[in-house]
Amino acid sequence: GDIEGSKQMLHKAIEVDSTSHERFAEVLCLQGNVPYAIIELTKAFNNGYGNLYQIKASPDLQILNYDVRFTNLLEKYFMLKGV
């Protein structure tokens, strides 16, 4: 698909609705943009999102399981060790 077009659409969506950070993180992962996906998940957690099962079960977020920043993020917000 059109990666650049999807990036532009995502940025517009974030401007319109900044409450769906976990969904934005999924799109960013699919685009291969792991650092920004982690930023969006941090925003989601700061806003009270707490569905750890959804985060761990989402196939779109699976790429994050290999990133120490994601592990650290889950440890911080869910007080889990060795997630």
Side-chain angles (χ1 to χ4, degrees), residues 32-82:
N33 197 338
V34 170
Y36 282 105
I38 291 173
I39 289 169
E40 289 300 317
L41 283 177
T42 302
K43 291 176 184 177
F45 297 150
N46 284 336
N47 288 340
Y49 184 82
N51 190 340
L52 179 60
Y53 175 78
Q54 179 62 36
I55 296 296
K56 295 294 284 180
S58 172
D60 298 333
L61 297 176
Q62 291 300 306
I63 191 172
L64 297 178
N65 289 327
Y66 305 101
D67 194 300
V68 70
R69 295 168 295 182
F70 177 65
T71 303
N72 292 339
L73 186 67
L74 294 182
E75 287 177 358
K76 176 181 176 182
Y77 284 93
F78 296 98
M79 294 183 226
L80 302 172
K81 293 293 179 191

